[in-house]
């Protein structure tokens, strides 16, 4: 079925992925922003001109700012979210939007966060199970933010835990899994092997100096990663278009 291929092929361009994420206003609150990038129009403009394969938004921003990005970058609608105010022990990210809303907003993919190992893991598996069936019926791609988190998880970023989270995403039917970088090329290779044919992309993390960040992107790719879902390292950068071009050279070049 052609339509099914085309949504996926927009998000995964020749096997590679570069998503600009702007759901941090929900996950971290306004503390991530300054006077310029607090305005979603500023980030929509970067997303529209940057040649990204996806733009990850919660539904409110996706709807209010549709005219600022629609038709210029594929939408990845985040279907769940939480604030950082709630303690991480019982880590849970409730579903806030439906696949139908994603379709109505013109999304090419849905995004869903699972806190692997959380006491609330079962609830997120259940929600994602239904989302995955429906999204794939519509031909949308499924991107899972898979983060080990909660009171049973000793070290969220240990290579073993990140590899487990990546494998879980493959098992539950994700097309793309977003992980936190496990710290080295070797660890990344094991994470990518664990995820099999599910494409592994890394979060950008908090803002780093350009050279350091670009080296991390090279290591992600050398470790078998398929790209990035990056936020702060692009729209907090003084020159977001220049860093985007540098990132693209590494991922697609
Ligand atoms: P960054 O590149 O800015 O780290 O964004 C990646 C991301 O996954 C966002 O999509 C999300 O808002 C945030 O990080 C979640 O971070 P965490 O739950 O680890 O605080």
């Amino acid at each position: 079925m052609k339509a099914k291929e085309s949504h996926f092929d927009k998000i995964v361009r020749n096997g590679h992925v570069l998503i600009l994420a702007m759901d941090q206003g929900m996950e971290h609150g306004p503390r991530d922003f300054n006077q310029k990038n607090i305005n979603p129009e500023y980030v929509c403009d970067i997303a529209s001109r940057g040649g990204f394969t996806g733009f990850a938004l919660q539904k409110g921003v996706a709807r209010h700012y549709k005219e600022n990005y629609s038709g210029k970058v594929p939408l990845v609608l985040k279907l769940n979210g939480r604030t950082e105010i709630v303690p991480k022990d019982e880590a849970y990210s409730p579903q806030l939007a439906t696949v139908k809303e994603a379709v109505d907003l013109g999304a090419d993919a849905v995004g869903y966060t699972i806190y692997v190992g959380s006491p609330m893991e079962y609830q997120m598996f259940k929600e994602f199970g239904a989302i995955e069936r429906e999204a794939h019926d519509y031909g949308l791609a499924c991107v899972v933010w898979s983060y080990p988190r909660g009171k049973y998880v000793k070290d969220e970023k240990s290579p073993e835990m990140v590899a487990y989270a990546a494998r879980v995403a493959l098992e539950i039917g994700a097309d793309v899994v977003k992980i936190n970088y496990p710290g080295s090329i070797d660890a990344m290779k094991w994470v990518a092997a664990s995820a099999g044919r599910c494409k592994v992309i890394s979060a950008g993390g908090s803002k780093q100096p350009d050279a350091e960040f670009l080296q991390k992107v090279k290591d992600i790719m050398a470790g078998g990663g398929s790209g990035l879902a990056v936020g702060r390292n692009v729209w907090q950068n003084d020159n977001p278009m220049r860093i985007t071009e540098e990132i693209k050279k590494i991922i697609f070049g």
Side-chain angles (χ1 to χ4, degrees):
M1 288 174 66
K2 251 197 150 42
K4 290 197 176 183
E5 282 164 4
S6 71
H7 289 299
F8 180 85
D9 291 343
K10 282 192 203 166
I11 302 294
V12 181
R13 189 188 298 154
N14 298 324
H16 296 127
V17 180
L18 179 57
I19 293 171
L20 185 67
M22 195 199 15
D23 59 335
Q24 289 82 352
M26 175 92 197
E27 304 286 322
H28 301 158
R31 72 171 168 87
D32 273 356
F33 301 102
N34 61 24
Q35 289 297 337
K36 209 153 57 171
N37 55 36
I38 189 75
N39 183 348
E41 287 180 18
Y42 176 82
V43 182
C44 288
D45 182 58
I46 300 168
S48 299
R49 295 191 293 123
F52 294 89
T53 70
F55 188 26
L57 299 174
Q58 287 283 350
K59 70 175 179 182
V61 179
R63 184 168 302 128
H64 282 297
Y65 293 87
K66 197 163 190 282
E67 70 191 57
N68 297 82
Y69 65 85
S70 183
K72 299 171 196 147
V73 61
L75 173 64
V76 179
L77 192 74
K78 246 343 260 307
L79 299 191
N80 65 344
R82 52 98 201 146
T83 71
E84 67 173 9
I85 302 163
V86 182
K88 283 179 171 183
D89 272 11
E90 303 284 317
Y92 175 52
S93 183
Q95 185 172 354
L96 305 169
T98 63
V99 174
K100 177 69 172 38
E101 287 175 282
V103 171
D104 291 346
L105 282 163
D108 288 288
V110 292
Y112 186 90
T113 298
I114 292 181
Y115 296 128
V116 173
S118 162
M120 296 298 287
E121 174 193 83
Y122 72 96
Q123 184 65 27
M124 290 171 277
F125 282 161
K126 206 166 131 192
E127 285 175 11
F128 181 72
I131 286 168
E132 183 272 327
R133 274 189 295 278
E134 196 182 355
H136 282 150
D137 277 351
Y138 277 111
L140 302 190
C142 292
V143 182
V144 165
W145 278 233
S146 196
Y147 295 159
R149 193 163 289 177
K151 66 181 173 195
Y152 303 126
V153 177
K154 304 270 173 295
D155 179 0
E156 291 184 6
K157 294 189 181 163
S158 77
E160 297 75 20
M161 288 308 295
V162 177
Y164 200 160
R167 181 58 177 223
V168 165
L170 170 70
E171 304 283 350
I172 61 177
D175 301 300
V176 177
V177 59
K178 176 178 178 189
I179 46 96
N180 277 314
Y181 181 59
S184 71
I185 297 177
D186 278 350
M188 188 66 201
K189 282 183 180 165
W190 183 237
V191 170
S194 302
R197 290 184 181 166
C198 177
K199 301 277 175 195
V200 179
I201 61 175
S202 172
S206 52
K207 176 80 175 61
Q208 291 176 282
D210 290 3
E212 227 172 87
F213 177 67
L214 292 171
Q215 185 56 50
K216 185 165 89 178
V217 180
K218 285 180 188 157
D219 293 350
I220 289 162
M221 300 309 285
S226 295
L228 284 183
V230 57
R232 291 166 285 177
N233 274 284
V234 169
W235 43 255
Q236 286 182 355
N237 196 291
D238 289 339
N239 195 336
M241 299 316 288
R242 194 192 56 213
I243 194 83
T244 300
E245 288 311 310
E246 295 297 325
I247 296 169
K248 282 196 293 189
K249 274 189 220 156
I250 300 168
I251 294 181
F252 302 107

